[in-house]
Amino acid sequence: MPDRDAEFMRQALDLAARGQGHVEPNPMVGALLVKDGQIVGQGWHRTFGGPHAEVEAFRDADAAARDATLYVTLEPCCHHGKTPPCTEAILAAGVRRVVVALEDPFAQVAGRGIEQLRQQGVDVAVGCLRDEAESLCTPYLKLRRTGRPWVIAKWAMSLDGKIATHTGESQWISNEASRAIVHQIRGRMDAILVGRGTVEADDPLLTARPPGARIATRIVLDSQATLSPVSRLVKSAGDAPVLVAVGPNADPQRCQSLINAGCEVLACPGATPAERLDFLLADLGRREMTNLLVEGGAALLGSFFDGQHVDELHVFIAPKILGGRAAAGPVGGEGVAQMAESLRLENPSVRVIDGDTYIAARCRRNT
């Protein structure tokens, strides 16, 4: 059986991925029960607050779970949360061996689930396809380890690197198929963030169309609380949450006007925009927001890149030339001084979407 551990764990990882967008702030987890080389049960964590992957697999296998091997992509929980401990369910099912891909850094687990099983005589192997499991769970792991959400930057640009014409027109650079992918991404986000300038220029709704698994909180960075009360964001605050992040000098009357319109106003302390952004990200982490999509303009994206906050990016390059010295590029800010300091991408995927080039990748930090 150990020779086939990777094969079965890979299937468990495929199951886990089905929970994307449905389970956050919990991790995506998949479980597979194997007996005499045959799969007798499978499950995945389907929705936040619902049964965990192990319990789903036991329900699927029923009595066949006894003496089986359980493959699970993340360490089984050992505490009472929204559901009972999975370690208890494993012991009750009579599983003889458990193969775990990755330890859970959650403070109430953190190795205790594995230790509890071993103390009860269960053979536990840890680390099968660890890298793949960590890659799948990276947003969850970042939230648990740093208290900050996973930050995804997105933009569309022309072939000559412009996100708008020199007059500020940007709709539409990318094609309809590319925009459909953006809506799919939005549909699994906890929050979508833009600057006030983007709201003024485009008056976006920032919703997923058609709706996805989650309804994202729409966040606007607006230091002076000057967001227009007739913007589509404010007018739709009753349909999807709107959070306006203001600075310490924002006018109280304007803030109250936004609150009266149904928005939440978050006062971010700090003498500089970088300090206020840092506070905002920490606050989103305290709210257990796992995935944040940044769709702002060059200044906002530049501040995120300067602060080394971006973890993943999705870029759509249209086969168009806009030109113009005054036309904005996608990333402003201070940038780097030396080529060696440039942000590199890990294993970028490149696809052609009805003529647009779509690049998706995670960011590799210079260490």
Side-chain angles (χ1 to χ4, degrees):
M1 184 64 67
D3 292 341
R4 299 186 65 188
D5 282 351
E7 171 193 340
F8 291 125
M9 185 61 76
R10 190 162 283 109
Q11 293 182 62
L13 286 166
D14 289 342
L15 289 169
R18 299 184 186 184
Q20 186 179 54
H22 298 273
V23 302
E24 292 83 356
N26 282 355
M28 292 177 278
V29 182
L32 204 69
L33 283 162
V34 177
K35 192 172 185 178
D36 299 326
Q38 301 297 315
I39 297 171
V40 297
Q42 62 181 27
W44 66 94
H45 188 30
R46 296 172 182 265
T47 185
F48 179 70
H52 288 188
E54 299 94 323
V55 174
E56 292 277 8
F58 293 141
R59 289 177 178 173
D60 188 39
D62 200 13
R66 182 160 298 278
D67 296 326
T69 294
L70 170 67
Y71 294 87
V72 61
T73 59
L74 191 70
E75 177 181 3
C77 68
C78 55
H79 65 290
H80 283 270
K82 292 185 177 294
T83 60
C86 287
T87 49
E88 292 183 1
I90 291 169
L91 295 171
V95 167
R96 64 176 176 82
R97 181 171 179 257
V98 177
V99 181
V100 177
L102 185 67
E103 299 90 339
D104 188 346
F106 186 51
Q108 291 178 279
V109 185
R112 296 183 184 89
I114 293 167
E115 184 59 30
Q116 283 186 15
L117 293 173
R118 285 174 172 164
Q119 287 177 354
Q120 296 299 316
V122 179
D123 178 13
V124 182
V126 182
C128 179
L129 299 190
R130 178 188 297 275
D131 291 346
E132 290 88 339
E134 184 150 4
S135 178
L136 180 69
C137 288
T138 298
Y140 165 78
L141 296 174
K142 182 188 179 186
L143 179 63
R144 290 300 168 212
R145 291 168 177 167
T146 71
R148 306 294 177 92
W150 183 258
V151 177
I152 301 170
K154 164 265 166 185
W155 67 85
M157 66 183 185
S158 62
L159 190 60
D160 58 335
K162 308 295 185 180
I163 61 172
T165 67
H166 69 89
T167 64
E169 183 182 351
S170 62
Q171 296 180 348
W172 297 99
I173 290 178
S174 59
N175 62 36
E176 188 174 349
S178 293
R179 297 197 298 274
I181 293 173
V182 174
H183 282 285
Q184 291 172 6
I185 296 170
R186 285 179 177 179
R188 59 181 178 84
M189 293 294 107
D190 294 293
I192 301 168
L193 185 147
V194 297
R196 181 181 53 81
T198 293
V199 179
E200 287 185 352
D202 299 337
D203 196 20
L205 271 175
L206 301 180
T207 54
R209 301 182 294 276
R214 309 183 80 77
I215 297 177
T217 296
R218 284 103 35 98
I219 302 174
V220 182
L221 293 190
D222 181 16
S223 61
Q224 299 301 317
T226 57
L227 181 64
S228 170
V230 298
S231 66
R232 294 203 294 169
L233 279 174
V234 175
K235 290 167 66 176
S236 64
D239 301 321
V242 175
L243 187 153
V244 184
V246 304
N249 298 320
D251 184 282
Q253 289 186 335
R254 291 192 187 125
C255 291
Q256 189 59 52
S257 176
L258 290 169
I259 293 170
N260 292 343
C263 302
E264 177 185 357
V265 173
L266 176 66
C268 299
T272 66
E275 290 174 348
R276 295 193 288 273
L277 178 57
D278 198 60
F279 175 87
L280 173 62
L281 291 173
D283 185 82
L284 299 182
R286 285 189 288 270
R287 299 170 188 237
E288 294 206 307
M289 290 189 176
T290 307
N291 291 288
L292 169 67
L293 179 64
V294 180
E295 292 197 33
L300 180 62
L301 285 168
S303 67
F304 269 85
F305 278 103
D306 284 348
Q308 297 188 352
H309 298 306
V310 178
D311 301 297
E312 179 180 333
L313 54 82
H314 294 257
V315 179
F316 300 86
I317 305 172
K320 301 174 182 177
I321 303 293
L322 301 184
R325 287 189 297 272
V331 181
E334 294 296 323
V336 300
Q338 304 293 329
M339 191 64 68
E341 300 171 341
S342 62
L343 184 64
R344 305 297 180 92
L345 305 182
E346 288 186 346
N347 302 318
S349 69
V350 181
R351 296 163 53 194
V352 177
I353 310 293
D354 286 358
D356 286 356
T357 301
Y358 171 35
I359 301 174
R362 290 181 174 181
C363 301
R364 179 189 304 161
R365 301 296 176 199
N366 292 322
T367 57

